[in-house]
Amino acid sequence: MTPQQIDLVKATVPVLRENGVTLTQYFYNRMLGNNPDLKEVFNLGHQRSGAQAQALAGAVLAYAENIEDPSVLSSAIELIAHKHVSLNIQAPDYNIVGENLLHSISEVLDIPMEDPLIEAWAVAYGKLADVLINAERDMYQQHEKTKGSWLGWRKFKIAEKVQESEEISSFYLQPVDGQALPSYQAGQYISVRVLVPELGLKQPRQYTLSTNPHEDYLRISVKREPAKEDKVAGWVSNSLHNLPQGAEIEVSAPTGNFYLIDSHKTNVLISGGVGLTPMVAMLNQLVAQDMPQAVHFIHACRNSKVHAMKQHLKDLQAEYPQLKTWVAYEFPTAQDVLGQDYQAVGRLALAQLDTALLPADADYYLCGPMPFMAEQRQALLDQGIPAQNIHTEAFGTGGVKL
């Protein structure tokens, strides 16, 4: 990019801060209107909630702010590349996105396509697209080299459904073709695509694999998302829950860069609600290695009715004394008070835990709602835990921000 083009892109930062979501909402409506086949690539639930537009607005803003040195965004770009691979995004798709993005900038800002600003953003977008295409090409090539892996969508059947709590059920997925499955890192995810009857369309959504690798199945544990006063129903999650055992769905190969790094040091796994799924996968991976070091499993949820997999944790704790657990129930039931399934009432407050559960030299993994992860990360920093030891699951509803 020329210095003049860089200055033009940087000059749009105030506009993006003020009107970025308006721009990205317009962009998605324009692109999906012109390319209806992409409605089975982009999750329309994220469009409906506005989360996707907000995430893209944040990404575009971050890119504009760092246009002189986009390398500072490398970790976020890696996250996006993994998600694109899970959705089978290909290089030609970037041409469609770019064309609609540039026209959206022109139309929303009411400037002609021939304006130097549009040209500057065309160059900027082209550079970002090249970075993502190259990163995704490497990932696709890695899948091609990995035994049992695959590209795009593969048919799986729901071999078994197990209810884990009032809200969460586990789905054991077996490949219809009967061929091998790849190994993967505990903490990674797959994309699942199902027909959503309300839309008459297939819709994708990412779900963390909730156990360590097995030869004949993948497992996800999915929370049913009914409509509430402040929340719309989850189309893909609810469609999954309504499918019978034996039903077929489409699945992408495991991917993602949130996973257990080192099994030979103390690992502290901190989760909220259904965010315990990657933590259980990591724990099971450590169990498969006979749990070489201490593991501290810290979980927060509303009460025992929605506390998934608690018996699994109890069974492992009885077998492995190096596994320590701590559970906070925000709203324990009357029956909960008579039991011993939790150690604290109210929101999880790490400052109240025994410091032995939060060693300074441990690796920490966080997963749950974004506000929960931000709160727990700050609490760990306040207690002197080095930032480089804290790892968060950053993909979530609506995508990720640069």
Side-chain angles (χ1 to χ4, degrees):
M1 297 185 69
T2 67
Q4 292 79 12
Q5 288 172 332
I6 290 174
D7 288 341
L8 283 169
V9 170
K10 289 171 64 176
T12 61
V13 166
V15 177
L16 293 173
R17 287 181 181 148
E18 183 75 19
N19 300 301
V21 174
T22 299
L23 171 64
T24 53
Q25 286 176 333
Y26 183 94
F27 155 74
Y28 278 120
N29 289 336
R30 188 185 199 282
M31 182 176 67
L32 295 177
N34 291 337
N35 303 273
D37 54 309
L38 292 181
K39 290 180 179 180
E40 293 195 345
V41 176
F42 290 87
N43 184 295
L44 297 184
H46 298 163
Q47 303 295 324
R48 172 185 57 175
S49 70
Q52 190 73 63
Q54 290 174 352
L56 180 59
V60 172
L61 174 60
Y63 186 52
E65 290 174 329
N66 294 278
I67 192 64
E68 291 174 295
D69 183 18
S71 64
V72 301
L73 306 173
S74 57
S75 60
I77 287 172
E78 184 184 7
L79 277 171
I80 293 171
H82 276 288
K83 187 169 184 180
H84 285 180
V85 169
S86 81
L87 294 169
N88 198 33
I89 300 292
Q90 300 293 329
D93 297 324
Y94 282 91
N95 295 330
I96 298 173
V97 171
E99 178 185 355
N100 283 278
L101 179 61
L102 295 177
H103 278 278
S104 295
I105 294 173
S106 170
E107 293 160 15
V108 171
L109 300 186
D110 193 23
I111 58 177
M113 286 294 292
E114 298 76 24
D115 192 282
L117 175 62
I118 302 299
E119 182 182 356
W121 264 106
V123 176
Y125 173 79
K127 290 173 69 68
L128 178 60
D130 286 344
V131 170
L132 286 165
I133 288 169
N134 289 333
E136 291 156 19
R137 182 185 298 118
D138 291 343
M139 293 178 187
Y140 284 125
Q141 290 175 351
Q142 186 59 48
H143 280 300
E144 289 180 319
K145 296 176 184 177
T146 300
K147 181 181 178 181
S149 193
W150 66 97
L151 303 179
W153 299 104
R154 183 177 176 184
K155 288 187 177 181
F156 278 67
K157 66 179 180 181
I158 301 173
E160 186 178 4
K161 291 172 64 174
V162 175
Q163 187 168 344
E164 306 284 5
S165 74
E166 285 190 352
E167 297 177 333
I168 298 172
S169 290
S170 287
F171 295 77
Y172 291 76
L173 308 176
Q174 293 182 335
V176 171
D177 60 22
Q179 299 300 307
L181 292 174
S183 184
Y184 57 86
Q185 298 291 331
Q188 292 188 303
Y189 62 89
I190 57 175
S191 282
V192 166
R193 191 163 70 169
V194 300
L195 177 67
V196 175
E198 298 96 314
L199 300 174
L201 294 169
K202 293 179 181 179
Q203 285 287 276
R205 198 181 191 285
Q206 289 74 45
Y207 296 102
T208 300
L209 292 156
S210 62
T211 191
N212 58 310
H214 290 263
E215 290 185 357
D216 57 345
Y217 68 85
L218 302 173
R219 188 182 80 175
I220 56 175
S221 300
V222 179
K223 179 182 177 183
R224 184 185 291 273
E225 298 283 0
K228 298 179 181 178
E229 290 183 4
D230 60 341
K231 190 174 184 180
V232 294
W235 277 326
V236 179
S237 296
N238 291 346
S239 295
L240 265 174
H241 275 270
N242 292 335
L243 289 175
Q245 187 168 306
E248 292 185 5
I249 62 175
E250 294 176 313
V251 175
S252 68
T255 192
N257 62 349
F258 178 74
Y259 49 79
L260 191 70
I261 296 170
D262 189 350
S263 60
H264 295 286
K265 65 186 300 186
T266 298
N267 286 290
V268 182
L269 313 177
I270 303 174
S271 56
V274 75
L276 93 168
T277 53
M279 307 313 178
V280 172
M282 292 178 186
L283 179 59
N284 288 354
Q285 181 170 306
L286 291 167
V287 167
Q289 299 170 10
D290 204 29
M291 205 175 296
Q293 293 294 332
V295 180
H296 302 164
F297 198 104
I298 300 168
H299 183 59
C301 60
R302 296 197 304 278
N303 50 51
S304 62
K305 292 182 178 181
V306 297
H307 185 179
M309 305 178 188
K310 62 178 181 288
Q311 188 58 50
H312 178 61
L313 268 292
K314 286 182 179 180
D315 293 343
L316 291 179
Q317 195 170 18
E319 185 176 354
Y320 295 95
Q322 66 269 46
L323 172 61
K324 309 297 182 185
T325 62
W326 179 275
V327 177
Y329 281 175
E330 189 169 4
F331 305 108
T333 67
Q335 188 63 35
D336 290 336
V337 176
L338 303 177
Q340 296 180 341
D341 289 335
Y342 63 103
Q343 287 72 46
V345 175
R347 295 177 62 85
L348 177 63
L350 295 181
Q352 298 176 4
L353 270 65
D354 186 336
T355 55
L357 287 173
L358 305 172
D361 59 347
D363 272 341
Y364 288 78
Y365 297 86
L366 309 179
C367 189
M370 293 300 288
F372 171 88
M373 288 195 291
E375 181 181 344
Q376 306 315 320
R377 184 177 188 277
Q378 187 58 54
L380 291 173
L381 293 173
D382 291 344
Q383 297 205 36
I385 304 302
Q388 64 267 25
N389 289 9
I390 305 172
H391 314 283
T392 58
E393 172 57 291
F395 94 88
T397 300
V400 296
K401 293 183 180 182
L402 283 172

